[in-house]
Amino acid sequence: GRLAAIGELCTSVAHGIRNPLAAIQSSAQLARDASRAAHEDHERIDDILRETKRLGDRVNGLMKIARVSAQEFADTSLGEVTRVAVQAVRAEVENRGLSLEVESSAAYVRGDKRLLEQAVIELISNAMEHCKPGGTIRVTCLNGDRKARLTVADDGPGVAAAVRDQIFDLFFTTKPSGTGIGLATVKRVARLHGGDVELECPPGGGSRFCIALPAQKRSIRKKKTKLED
């Protein structure tokens, strides 16, 4: 079915990117080591190295999505998943002139920590693409009635009613440079964990994506922080 196709696609895309990405990274590192160029040129090379590492991490994440099985799951803190995912994208959020609000509880699930982190990063990245400078992205992790919920909300223009039923479809995208892979993989991750992801469109505008997963019983302790540009 569709989720199996996403798994096959992840493997294909990852293998297709891995070799040229390694070549770019290797060439940039050699140039950095051998260069006597000006400081600003070194900074540009460092930017290349930093972004190739980030892309490499995402490629590895795609491959893991294709290979993961529930037999490898362990008790996982969604609060920690939230913290790591937010830390990974915080600099880019701030560079875009956006604010990031985070609220987390001690919510636990049976799952794969890195896979869940990748799903949250995808949702935050998606929100960044739709927010204008000065906008706010809210990431919330709460423990509810038998469900742990991880929500990423933005105050962008929202999703047009005509395409809401297609938003998680493989290859569907509303962005000119989009791939239609990100939200489809979020759906796959949620389903692999015995849950699902839904899009909510508040009347006042914006979008809210909520991953709901079966919760493990633990004590609840809330904390709230706000990170702004």
Side-chain angles (χ1 to χ4, degrees):
R2 187 176 66 188
L3 290 178
I6 294 172
E8 293 175 6
L9 174 71
C10 288
T11 302
S12 176
V13 170
H15 281 297
I17 294 174
R18 179 182 267 180
N19 288 342
L21 180 64
I24 293 169
Q25 192 168 20
S26 177
S27 296
Q29 187 62 59
L30 286 172
R32 180 68 172 82
D33 293 344
S35 175
R36 297 179 181 177
H39 178 67
E40 58 268 23
D41 292 328
H42 280 173
E43 288 186 342
R44 293 190 187 99
I45 295 174
D46 288 342
D47 286 342
I48 294 171
L49 289 169
R50 183 167 53 253
E51 290 305 310
T52 52
K53 181 182 184 304
R54 183 180 172 204
L55 182 55
D57 290 342
R58 297 191 76 174
V59 168
N60 290 334
L62 283 173
M63 295 194 72
K64 186 161 189 179
I65 289 171
R67 294 193 305 259
V68 73
S69 99
Q71 294 178 346
E72 303 168 5
F73 287 178
D75 283 353
T76 302
S77 164
L78 280 190
E80 178 66 8
V81 165
T82 301
R83 186 191 69 77
V84 173
V86 166
Q87 185 64 25
V89 296
R90 182 173 62 181
E92 186 173 353
V93 170
E94 294 175 347
N95 287 340
R96 291 181 181 233
L98 304 172
S99 296
L100 188 59
E101 294 183 355
V102 183
E103 180 179 357
S104 64
S105 299
Y108 291 84
V109 299
R110 289 287 296 177
D112 184 290
K113 180 177 179 290
R114 294 192 181 278
L115 209 56
L116 291 167
E117 289 167 2
Q118 188 65 38
V120 179
I121 289 171
E122 290 288 356
L123 290 181
I124 298 175
S125 297
N126 180 70
M128 281 193 289
E129 292 294 330
H130 293 91
C131 280
K132 294 180 179 179
T136 300
I137 299 171
R138 295 177 177 84
V139 184
T140 307
C141 170
L142 297 174
N143 206 359
D145 182 17
R146 293 182 295 178
K147 292 285 186 181
R149 289 179 170 82
L150 211 160
T151 303
V152 177
D154 65 68
D155 53 9
V159 179
V163 301
R164 289 174 189 171
D165 290 340
Q166 301 169 270
I167 201 73
F168 295 107
D169 288 353
L170 184 59
F171 299 133
F172 179 81
T173 181
T174 59
K175 295 177 289 187
S177 60
T179 62
I181 296 174
L183 291 179
T185 56
V186 172
K187 168 76 81 169
R188 175 174 169 83
V189 169
R191 291 279 184 85
L192 283 170
H193 287 77
D196 210 340
V197 58
E198 294 183 353
L199 166 65
E200 301 170 1
C201 298
S207 301
R208 186 162 56 225
F209 289 88
C210 179
I211 299 175
L213 306 174
Q216 301 290 306
K217 290 186 178 181
R218 299 286 183 102
S219 60
I220 300 175
R221 183 177 71 250
K222 290 185 180 180
K223 61 180 180 179
K224 188 170 184 177
T225 59
K226 184 173 182 179
L227 307 172
E228 299 182 347
D229 62 327

